[in-house]
Amino acid sequence: MSTPAKTGEPKRQRLTKGGRKTRDRIIEAAAELMFHRGAGGTSIPDIQAAAGVSASQIYHYFGDKQGLVLAVIDHQTDTQLAQQRPLLDNLDSIEALREWCDRAGSRQDARGCEGGCEIGSLASELADGDQSARTRLVSAFDRWEGPIRSGLARMQARGELSERADTAALATALLAAIQGGMLLSQVRRSSTAYRQAVSAVIDHIESLLVR
């Protein structure tokens, strides 16, 4: 009896400079298509055409479509976190939290609130039907939530934030407000819901400051 082929990303391989460029081009093309069409609505031929590669190259670098989806999750996470720095690494004041969230709202406004969050969109589509993707998305959101938690912890360590404040819970609440607010903003084509949601959480955090 033959053993079924394993799905998902192939083992990491040493790539030439050209190989890395080709792999990156495939991921970037797939990420763009999946953001607009969803992972389910993006086919391997679609990605081939967008990236200018053959199907064999896609299977060589990623094993199968699931492996490519996992790589796209990593790419979108890396890209979004990089875009939010250095603000993301300095979320240790109310002003910094407001500026960080306001800039995200401005990015939504700039594209007419279409598309929502790159990571959140993948999560909505994949979390219930793909365990490997769900696990990867948990890691993605943990990476996003971590700097919020760290910033609040620094505020608390400096004696600015009340000792009774649960910094982990507050970080989760703010990330949840960001995600839920972006979803409502995407549906309503207005960043108002996003701005109201994040402001409510930040106002609560501000109420916990030591006066």
Side-chain angles (χ1 to χ4, degrees):
M1 186 175 182
S2 61
T3 303
K6 293 183 179 179
T7 60
E9 290 178 297
K11 291 182 179 179
R12 289 292 181 182
Q13 48 191 299
R14 288 183 176 275
L15 299 177
T16 64
K17 185 177 180 180
R20 285 194 299 274
K21 286 184 176 180
T22 299
R23 185 179 187 277
D24 290 345
R25 189 168 74 251
I26 294 169
I27 293 174
E28 289 166 5
E32 182 70 14
L33 289 170
M34 289 180 190
F35 178 60
H36 292 289
R37 304 180 185 178
T42 301
S43 67
I44 293 295
D46 292 334
I47 299 166
Q48 285 179 243
V53 297
S54 65
S56 62
Q57 285 175 296
I58 294 175
Y59 292 121
H60 170 71
Y61 290 114
F62 304 101
D64 56 16
K65 185 180 175 182
Q66 184 191 40
L68 179 53
V69 168
L70 297 179
V72 166
I73 293 171
D74 290 342
H75 168 77
Q76 293 288 35
T77 304
D78 291 342
T79 300
Q80 295 310 306
L81 295 183
Q83 287 178 352
Q84 295 172 39
R85 289 191 165 91
L87 283 177
L88 192 64
D89 295 326
N90 295 281
L91 299 177
D92 55 0
S93 71
I94 297 299
E95 294 73 21
L97 289 168
R98 291 195 191 281
E99 182 181 1
W100 175 59
C101 289
D102 186 61
R103 287 197 185 184
S106 296
R107 286 194 296 272
Q108 291 297 310
D109 287 332
R111 63 187 187 198
C113 294
E114 294 184 2
C117 169
E118 288 83 352
I119 305 170
S121 297
L122 287 168
S124 296
E125 180 182 4
L126 300 170
D128 288 339
D130 187 330
Q131 180 60 30
S132 295
R134 190 190 70 79
T135 300
R136 194 66 62 93
L137 287 160
V138 168
S139 176
F141 283 117
D142 285 347
R143 290 177 59 193
W144 198 355
E145 186 178 322
I148 309 172
R149 190 185 308 114
S150 296
L152 295 175
R154 290 196 298 275
M155 292 172 65
Q156 196 171 57
R158 294 196 302 259
E160 299 167 5
L161 189 63
S162 171
E163 291 184 1
R164 65 187 175 86
D166 185 335
T167 55
L170 290 171
T172 298
L174 183 53
L175 184 59
I178 290 169
Q179 286 299 304
M182 283 190 175
L183 178 59
L184 283 176
S185 293
Q186 179 185 3
V187 172
R188 294 174 176 173
R189 290 293 190 263
S190 167
S191 65
T192 300
Y194 164 81
R195 294 181 187 278
Q196 290 174 335
V198 298
S199 290
V201 177
I202 297 174
D203 287 348
H204 176 62
I205 295 171
E206 187 171 20
S207 75
L208 297 171
L209 294 180
V210 176
R211 303 298 181 181

